[in-house]
Amino acid sequence: MDLGIKGRTALVCGASKGLGYGCAEALVKEGVNVVIVARTAETLEAAATKLRAINPAVTVKAVATDITTALGREAAFAAHKDYDIVVTNAGGPPTGDFRDWNRDMWVAALDANMLTPIELIKAVIDGMMARGFGRIINITSSAVKAPIDILGLSNGARSGLTGFVAGVARSGAVAKNVTINNLLPGIFDTDRIVSNFAAQAKKSGQSLEEVRAARVNGHPAKRLGTPAEFGATCAFLCSQHASYINGQNILIDGGSFPGTF
Ligand code: NAP
């Protein structure tokens, strides 16, 4: 299927690896120019080189910056002004016990997983509406639907974003072909999940391999998801065909959530 987005330009945050990279790769394969952002220049440049090799016809710009800061966002918009597509993502907050989290840790989680996506939406939505096309995808978490005890910072901050998006997605932008949706990853094979496994191993006294095996065995798909699978869904939501999918929270978890809906 031709997604009809060839020649569009996307900002993909947190894109040097993991799910953000999966989204960038899927978009590049569809002929979308991308500006990819992550803090570590070396891994980001390596990702940009890989993307350019996948589709030499597109422009790939790498902006090494912290997207959760105002300066970082300025740098992302200095690389390109009028984005057609924005994928928000900034890595997840640390795991732990809420008794150990102080106000600064909560503010950092809110900045990364709630306020930064809101700032990015604010920066692009009016321009997208004026041009008659826009796709905004927020990478959130299955923790929004089914909270994870050691991820209280994520449960809280992302639920705030989810509530905000539910309102703004229905506030007029969709009539101008601008959609906003959240993608909720279940368990995907990325560096982030390995560090979560390590935290669980430490808490339970099991080895990393035992934690991983238990999660895989207990999963209906008997495997973790791949960033490429995640990216493919993201690219479809960014397509011209997805203009009537708006304000949704789309769970990609291989059927792990046990509910009927
Ligand atoms: P990952 O493999 O750790 O990759 C995170 C990416 O974001 C890296 O490119 C990282 O590069 C970048 N990044 C982190 N903080 C940033 C910042 N402040 N500014 C710019 N870039 C930043 O993580 P992932 O597994 O792909 O997860 C992506 C998101 O999905 C996270 O929010 C995570 O919590 C959520 N999630 C993941 C899973 C899963 O199973 N993997 C499940 C549920 C939710 P630098 O470190 O160099 O900046």
Side-chain angles (χ1 to χ4, degrees), residues 13-21 37-41 43-44 63 65-69 88-93 112-113 116 139-143 148 151 154 158 183-196 224-225 227 230:
C13 305
S16 65
K17 57 186 182 172
L19 304 180
Y21 177 82
V37 175
R39 294 164 302 180
T40 314
T43 40
L44 185 68
V63 180
T65 192
D66 183 341
I67 198 69
T68 68
T69 66
T88 79
N89 176 32
N113 298 119
T116 293
I139 300 180
T140 68
S141 174
S142 61
I148 302 167
L151 280 170
S154 172
R158 296 186 204 273
L183 276 182
L184 284 57
I187 185 164
F188 281 80
D189 204 352
T190 68
D191 288 0
R192 161 82 178 167
I193 216 66
V194 173
S195 68
N196 283 1
L224 309 184
F230 189 87

Side-chain angles (χ1 to χ4, degrees), residues 1-5 133 135 234-243:
M1 182 194 284
D2 177 2
L3 296 188
I5 47 176
F133 180 91
R135 299 284 184 266
C234 175
F236 178 75
L237 286 175
C238 294
S239 76
Q240 66 171 11
H241 311 297
S243 47

Side-chain angles (χ1 to χ4, degrees), residues 23-121:
C23 295
E25 186 178 284
L27 290 168
V28 158
K29 283 180 178 168
E30 290 302 320
V32 174
N33 304 308
V34 293
V35 175
I36 57 169
V37 175
R39 294 164 302 180
T40 314
E42 203 183 340
T43 40
L44 185 68
E45 283 302 335
T49 303
K50 229 166 113 185
L51 292 171
R52 289 181 193 118
I54 287 168
N55 187 351
V58 304
T59 303
V60 178
K61 289 186 190 171
V63 180
T65 192
D66 183 341
I67 198 69
T68 68
T69 66
L71 277 179
R73 291 187 290 276
E74 262 174 44
F77 286 99
H80 184 87
K81 196 163 155 272
D82 297 328
Y83 288 106
D84 305 300
I85 293 165
V86 172
V87 180
T88 79
N89 176 32
T95 55
D97 186 316
F98 80 94
R99 293 168 189 83
D100 301 325
W101 298 331
N102 59 30
R103 181 178 162 75
D104 288 347
M105 294 177 79
W106 272 107
V107 170
L110 290 169
D111 259 342
N113 298 119
M114 178 183 172
L115 300 176
T116 293
I118 291 172
E119 288 289 348
L120 290 169
I121 292 168

